[in-house]
Amino acid sequence: CPVPRHVLDRLYDPASPFRPEEGLYLGKTPIPPFKLPMGSYLLIVAPGNDASGLGAGGKGQGAEDGHTPCPVPRAPELQERFAPVRVPVFIGRCADENLDVTLFKDGEILSGFVQVPAGKFIYQGDKGNPYTGPKEIKHIDDFLIARFPVTCKEYIEFLDETAASDPVKAAGMAPRISTGSPSYWPLDRNARFAIPTTAWLSDAPAELKAHADRLASAPSDWEEDWPVFSVSWEDAMTYAAWFSRKHGVLASLAHEAMREKVVRGADGRAFSFGDVFDTAFANTIGSYDGPHRPGVVHSFPIDESPFGVRGLCGNSNDWCMNDVEEGRRRIIRGGSWFDSGMSGRATNRRAGHPGNVISSGGFRMAALIRTSRR
């Protein structure tokens, strides 16, 4: 049964290698119990076409051979405005899986974010990682997470708004080689920052060029669609507070358990794309001919999780919310352009001082949907 194109367009980038064309139509929820072979599956849950769930055409494909009929999709503007969602499922041996999936209305899911449905997942217990923690089964409620890490273009908007009232504070949060050092990005007399891309450098005034520099160890100039690198956990949290005020949401960095769930899906995979690593799949050391280097967030489309989140195993590390050593260090997850493939494993953990910066380190936003009472 073909999956309606407008549903796939909401859930997948055009370049995604994981975009399905056909599937088994299960019918309208609530779906009665049925049997499947053990293994890993992906449910696509979307608003129905009409009260019967069969669409305007009545019987659809498969009705005559005993399968659930395939609906005739109506135009998306005629459907209720609920967002579709990708729901990874793993069916274990002789296991029962009961799923209760929440659909959110358009506007409840922030632009550029994806829904990660509530449910269980395997945390740590990775046989391919000698430093993994013990295996646990964790359950996390619904949350939203950005499809891509925060880009230079997005971060400079935050810096410019901050610089309008406090240029010294803004300069201290701009990408830099180390804590307290000058920024890679120059600040002009009008309190506006510049990303020193190749195009900008070709026309920039000499006095601004003198204060611009490449990212440490990077063999090429900055790009607007790179993840923002070389900012601290404290900078990321300040950005999150600004983002929350700007969009009227409760946004922050993801807890490391949330990020691990996004990578591992329901089947406990080692990487966002499966259990086998190849340097062509994610931006790590060896991914390019010649020197390793950062890439734009749209590169390496195979580095996509079952939920549709990109760039989790390469290109940039992500600062996470939680701490170790009683707050003295904050967790960092994911691989980067400056790391080997081992660092991109879903279970790999490291930590850094919240005020320090690393040239491979960036961050992405997450947003809570519900808060629980104690």
Side-chain angles (χ1 to χ4, degrees), residues 155-340:
Y155 195 75
I156 202 170
E157 180 185 359
F158 153 70
L159 286 181
D160 285 344
E161 287 197 16
T162 304
S165 58
D166 193 339
V168 174
K169 179 181 179 181
M173 295 187 293
R176 54 206 183 274
I177 193 168
S178 62
T179 304
S181 65
S183 170
Y184 294 118
W185 298 359
L187 180 66
D188 67 20
R189 295 178 181 178
N190 297 318
R192 304 281 293 185
F193 285 88
I195 303 170
T197 64
T198 300
W200 180 88
L201 290 166
S202 66
D203 297 325
E207 63 271 19
L208 286 182
K209 283 186 184 180
H211 296 284
D213 203 356
R214 287 180 174 178
L215 176 69
S217 301
S220 56
D221 298 323
W222 290 82
E223 296 192 39
E224 290 186 343
D225 288 334
W226 275 6
V228 61
F229 294 104
S230 246
V231 293
S232 70
W233 181 89
E234 293 170 348
D235 300 334
M237 290 298 292
T238 306
Y239 177 94
W242 169 84
F243 184 93
S244 296
R245 292 191 299 269
K246 185 177 183 67
H247 296 281
V249 296
L250 180 58
S252 188
L253 305 179
H255 188 282
E256 66 170 323
M258 298 163 67
R259 196 186 185 284
E260 185 166 330
K261 175 176 179 175
V262 172
V263 182
R264 304 196 82 179
D267 53 16
R269 59 188 57 197
F271 302 96
S272 61
F273 37 79
D275 290 325
V276 177
F277 181 81
D278 190 289
T279 54
F281 296 169
N283 186 14
T284 59
I285 292 175
S287 294
Y288 291 100
D289 292 333
H292 46 278
R293 58 186 182 271
V296 299
V297 295
H298 299 282
S299 58
F300 294 87
I302 293 179
D303 189 0
E304 175 181 317
S305 87
F307 300 100
V309 183
R310 297 275 298 277
L312 293 162
C313 298
N315 210 22
S316 68
N317 312 129
D318 285 343
W319 284 106
C320 292
M321 168 63 77
N322 54 306
D323 61 12
V324 291
E325 299 176 354
E326 298 180 344
R328 289 191 292 273
R329 294 196 298 161
R330 295 284 171 169
I331 293 293
I332 301 169
R333 288 295 196 111
S336 80
W337 66 276
F338 209 70
D339 295 317
S340 68

Side-chain angles (χ1 to χ4, degrees), residues 46-127:
N49 292 315
D50 60 12
S52 70
L54 299 180
K59 289 185 177 182
Q61 296 174 340
E64 296 180 359
D65 59 10
H67 294 292
T68 303
C70 180
V72 178
R74 293 167 60 187
E77 63 270 13
L78 299 180
Q79 297 187 22
E80 291 184 85
R81 288 299 188 178
F82 284 87
V85 61
R86 292 160 63 164
V87 187
V89 182
F90 181 76
I91 308 296
R93 187 183 300 276
C94 300
D96 292 326
E97 294 293 333
N98 298 301
L99 301 178
D100 187 1
V101 180
T102 301
L103 291 184
F104 293 90
K105 293 181 180 179
D106 281 348
E108 293 180 319
I109 297 180
L110 296 166
S111 176
F113 283 63
V114 301
Q115 176 190 348
V116 180
K120 63 184 180 180
F121 72 103
I122 298 172
Y123 181 79
Q124 295 292 290
D126 178 2
K127 295 180 180 179

